[in-house]
């Protein structure tokens, strides 16, 4: 299974946003060595927005292109449909619910069969979670101090389309995300324009 293994902090500085969610990711972003001196071209701006999507969701170019093709057939606006489909991936929801401290950790947890959806173990990170589905830690993983500590400490921010249940180490997708509620700094229209050229 192909994964992104590039340096996370360097990528955050290059893109100008904290795509990995680490509190120290942009600490050196203002240093003279990382200051951009050239004016970015139109193509460069569109490319950067596309790269942000890949970085936020931990996916590769081939996967993103496939998601875009599916979104372009949707009755919704293409950019919004793209982000909604990415946001409802299992690995992303595992991260959003706080089971993992990063999208990479979330992907690994799913692959290693630590996560169930409606009581069934799913080990496919790209699995599309449906509204009303409950995501939980498997019984064995609930005894892990690392997993317990992460779930109780990380991602406390309230996300309107998710519901957490700390007592049962689970969470639920209660509705499809609205664009204004998706916590990513992306100009989705530029992404659409990039692929439409």
């Amino acid at each position: 299974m192909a994964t992104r293994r590039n340096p996370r902090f360097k990528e955050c500085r290059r893109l100008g946003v904290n795509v990995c969610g680490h509190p120290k990711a942009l600490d050196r972003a203002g240093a003279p060595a990382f200051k951009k001196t050239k004016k970015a071209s139109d193509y460069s701006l569109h490319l950067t927005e596309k790269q942000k999507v890949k970085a936020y969701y931990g996916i590769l170019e081939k996967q993103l292109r496939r998601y875009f093709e599916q979104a372009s057939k949707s009755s919704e606006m293409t950019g919004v449909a793209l982000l909604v489909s990415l946001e409802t991936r299992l690995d992303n929801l595992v991260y959003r619910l706080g089971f993992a401290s990063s999208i990479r950790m979330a992907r690994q947890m799913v692959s290693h069969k630590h996560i169930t959806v409606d009581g069934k173990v799913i080990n496919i990170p790209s699995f599309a979670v449906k509204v009303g589905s409950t995501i939980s830690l498997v019984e064995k993983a609930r005894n892990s101090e690392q997993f317990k500590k992460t779930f109780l400490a990380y991602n406390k921010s309230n996300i309107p389309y998710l519901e957490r249940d700390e007592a049962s180490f689970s969470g639920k997708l209660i509705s499809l995300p609205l664009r204004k509620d998706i916590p990513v700094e992306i100009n989705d229209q530029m992404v659409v324009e990039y692929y439409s050229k």
Side-chain angles (χ1 to χ4, degrees):
M1 181 173 61
T3 56
R4 292 166 57 88
R5 300 189 184 279
N6 45 322
R8 295 180 303 160
F9 286 14
K10 185 184 284 187
E11 185 171 50
C12 290
R13 290 195 296 268
R14 180 170 53 81
L15 296 174
V17 291
N18 189 351
V19 293
C20 69
H22 195 286
K24 295 184 179 179
L26 292 174
D27 278 3
R28 295 168 60 203
F34 303 113
K35 194 172 181 181
K36 294 179 181 177
T37 54
K38 291 183 180 178
K39 185 180 178 182
S41 67
D42 189 49
Y43 174 78
S44 174
L45 293 172
H46 284 75
L47 177 64
T48 298
E49 293 305 312
K50 191 259 295 186
Q51 300 289 59
K52 284 182 189 177
V53 177
K54 289 166 60 178
Y56 268 118
Y57 294 101
I59 59 175
L60 302 173
E61 181 63 34
K62 191 176 179 181
Q63 293 170 297
L64 179 54
R65 191 172 286 276
R66 188 167 65 245
Y67 276 108
F68 178 79
E69 287 170 1
Q70 291 170 357
S72 62
K73 297 171 186 173
S74 168
S75 57
E76 297 283 331
M77 289 178 64
T78 302
V80 175
L82 172 65
L83 291 184
V84 168
S85 60
L86 289 169
E87 195 65 22
T88 52
R89 280 171 56 104
L90 179 57
D91 57 352
N92 184 69
L93 291 180
V94 166
Y95 170 54
R96 295 274 186 249
L97 284 165
F99 291 113
S101 57
S102 69
I103 193 72
R104 289 184 182 183
M105 181 180 173
R107 188 182 180 94
Q108 189 175 54
M109 287 178 72
V110 174
S111 299
H112 290 187
K113 301 182 178 181
H114 294 310
I115 299 295
T116 66
V117 178
D118 292 332
K120 183 180 179 182
V121 174
I122 303 290
N123 66 341
I124 304 168
S126 62
F127 178 82
V129 179
K130 293 182 172 65
V131 173
S133 296
T134 300
I135 301 166
S136 311
L137 268 177
V138 296
E139 201 67 44
K140 187 178 179 182
R142 294 178 194 183
N143 298 323
S144 164
E145 283 303 316
Q146 182 190 359
F147 291 156
K148 283 198 290 188
K149 184 179 177 182
T150 301
F151 185 63
L152 297 174
Y154 280 92
N155 294 357
K156 291 289 189 181
S157 58
N158 183 34
I159 298 178
Y161 48 91
L162 296 176
E163 188 176 81
R164 280 167 52 104
D165 184 350
E166 294 186 354
S168 63
F169 289 94
S170 65
K172 182 183 279 191
L173 178 64
I174 56 176
S175 66
L176 284 177
L178 297 175
R179 177 62 187 96
K180 64 183 177 67
D181 296 327
I182 299 176
V184 294
E185 294 177 52
I186 293 170
N187 184 332
D188 40 281
Q189 184 55 37
M190 279 195 174
V191 179
V192 174
E193 289 170 7
Y194 176 88
Y195 281 117
S196 300
K197 287 179 179 177

